[in-house]
């Protein structure tokens, strides 16, 4: 049974589009795009590839040979994914070379390699940059993703090019796919919730990265809510004999999804703290006069507003009844090296995006302690919302602009070119 292709993914010269334009056209609208022209000065494009465009396999053996990696056996299915084996990079390169010498017939680890149909982990965004080679992507928009699940919405189609059972997957024939061919030195942006299947059309090396930001937090929350409901229903029959039923639900959610509501709550709290502190540092250094023209300040405020909306949703959701396992000590957070790295990385990333000078790390750490004197523990979503409002009010009062920031949290517009 063939699939219906209804269109292709747009390709855009990345050098001709600003970050704000990318946000408005693709990030905020949750639309995929291929970006060209952005990899010209990447070191990987020189070190990892011969002039012929073929991968420099010996470079990987020499520089990363002893590193252990997970390798997918594309010819063997294991549960809902491909079978994984662990080997060193050198061992994998040896497999790759052997396969090429044998014409690819005896090795399922590399020739004709592919990724089964899936949506990315936690419904995160991802980008994939082809250093060499060529990939074929098949995309299905979120509005049609129910069509690739079985009647009970428990199991997803594994390979869209298989003879998919119409009895088990009655909606599959109705799916209309978008097709994309990704060439060398092209970067593809994969939005949240888009199911996709990927095939390597030749020897290919790509760099991939997944991330959250203020635009896709709602996707993460929706996934957690759905998976929590499923985890809860699965063990509902033992509720009466379970001493900690909610704790078991959260542990199962973490095991199945990779994160539970406590993990998400801690992430949100830290993400908010990093953004509010960066905003304080910027205003502390440059003064309130920069507010009207600072794209970085608008970016940070947009993040704060998005986090507050998610926090408010958490306060009204049954899935966090009892607030099981929620706890954050803000003073301890300031001393956590991982939080400090997040705090510094947020400033560095947004400073680079908006081409604004970033003050020194030592200065930021001093101002961070000066601002964040909220000594109470955050134990539940209600505490978190109170902490958000306290921090925003304090920031506004510090710069004699109380109403400006508070109204901004509710109504701050999407990025505008100044």
């Amino acid at each position: 049974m063939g699939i219906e292709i209804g269109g292709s993914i747009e390709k855009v010269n990345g050098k001709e589009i600003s970050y704000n334009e990318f946000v408005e056209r693709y990030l905020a609208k949750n639309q995929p795009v291929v970006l060209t022209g952005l990899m010209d000065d990447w070191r990987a494009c020189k070190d990892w590839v011969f002039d012929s465009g073929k991968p420099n396999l010996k470079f990987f053996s020499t520089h990363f040979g002893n590193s252990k990696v997970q390798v997918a056996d594309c010819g063997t299915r294991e549960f809902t994914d491909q079978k994984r084996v662990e080997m060193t990079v050198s061992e994998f390169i040896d497999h790759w070379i052997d396969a090429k010498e044998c014409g690819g017939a005896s090795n399922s680890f590399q020739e004709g390699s592919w990724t089964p149909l899936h949506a990315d982990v936690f419904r995160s965004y991802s980008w994939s940059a082809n250093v060499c080679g060529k990939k074929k992507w098949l995309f299905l928009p979120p509005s049609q993703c129910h069509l690739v699940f079985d009647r009970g919405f428990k199991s997803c189609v594994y390979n869209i090019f298989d003879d998919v059972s119409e009895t088990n997957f009655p909606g599959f024939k109705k799916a209309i796919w978008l097709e994309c061919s990704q060439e060398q030195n092209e970067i593809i942006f994969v939005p949240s919730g888009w199911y996709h299947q990927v095939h390597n059309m030749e020897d290919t090396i790509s760099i991939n990265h997944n991330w959250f930001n203020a635009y896709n937090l709602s996707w993460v929350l929706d996934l957690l809510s759905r998976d929590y409901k499923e985890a809860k229903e699965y063990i509902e029959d033992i509720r009466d004999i379970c001493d900690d039923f909610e704790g078991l639900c959260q542990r199962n959610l973490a095991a199945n999804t990779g994160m539970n509501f406590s993990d998400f709550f801690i992430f949100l709290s830290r993400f908010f703290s990093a953004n509010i502190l960066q905003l304080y540092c910027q205003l502390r250094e440059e003064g309130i006069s920069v507010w009207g023209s600072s794209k970085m300040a608008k970016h940070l405020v947009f993040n704060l507003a998005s986090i507050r909306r998610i926090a408010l949703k958490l306060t009204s959701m049954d899935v966090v009844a009892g607030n099981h396992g929620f706890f954050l000590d803000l003073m301890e957070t300031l001393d956590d090296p991982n939080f400090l790295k997040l705090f510094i990385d947020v400033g560095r990333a947004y400073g680079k995006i908006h081409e604004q000078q970033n003050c020194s790390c030592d200065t930021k750490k001093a101002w961070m302690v000066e601002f964040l004197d909220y000594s109470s523990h955050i134990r539940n979503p209600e505490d978190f919302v109170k902490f958000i409002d306290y921090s925003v009010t304090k920031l506004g009062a510090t710069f004699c602009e109380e109403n400006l920031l508070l109204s901004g949290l509710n109504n701050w517009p999407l990025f505008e070119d100044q």
Side-chain angles (χ1 to χ4, degrees), residues 281 284-285 343 359-369:
C281 288
R284 181 78 160 74
E285 182 179 42
F343 169 63
C359 59
S360 72
C361 177
D362 289 339
T363 299
K364 284 189 173 183
K365 283 191 285 187
W367 288 344
M368 181 169 67
V369 175

Side-chain angles (χ1 to χ4, degrees), residues 277 330-331 334 367-374 387 394:
L277 288 169
L330 291 169
M331 293 300 104
L334 293 184
W367 288 344
M368 181 169 67
V369 175
E370 172 187 301
F371 177 73
L372 194 59
D373 62 356
Y374 189 87
F387 169 58
K394 180 178 179 180

Side-chain angles (χ1 to χ4, degrees), residues 58-72:
K58 291 189 182 297
F59 180 90
F60 289 91
S61 291
T62 300
H63 290 82
F64 314 113
N66 294 327
S67 299
K68 292 186 176 180
V69 293
Q70 293 289 316
V71 177

Side-chain angles (χ1 to χ4, degrees), residues 88-131:
T88 66
V89 170
S90 288
E91 289 171 336
F92 174 68
I93 295 300
D94 289 342
H95 274 283
W96 191 336
I97 293 173
D98 288 345
K100 292 176 71 65
E101 291 177 349
C102 296
S106 63
N107 193 304
S108 59
F109 288 126
Q110 179 57 33
E111 301 310 289
S113 55
W114 66 289
T115 305
L117 183 65
H118 70 286
D120 283 339
V121 60
F122 304 141
R123 298 304 179 264
S124 56
Y125 294 137
S126 72
W127 56 258
S128 179
N130 268 6
V131 176

Side-chain angles (χ1 to χ4, degrees), residues 262-281:
S262 178
D263 299 325
F264 186 54
F265 173 77
I266 297 299
F267 166 75
L268 281 179
S269 302
R270 291 189 169 207
F271 188 40
F272 172 82
S273 299
N275 278 271
I276 193 78
L277 288 169
Q278 285 293 347
L279 186 56
Y280 175 75
C281 288

Side-chain angles (χ1 to χ4, degrees), residues 12 32 52 56 108 126 181 186 191 237 250 263 295 363 376 415:
V12 175
S52 64
N56 183 351
S108 59
S126 72
S181 178
E186 293 183 344
D237 57 343
Q250 293 293 334
D263 299 325
K295 293 180 181 179
T363 299
S376 298
F415 298 105

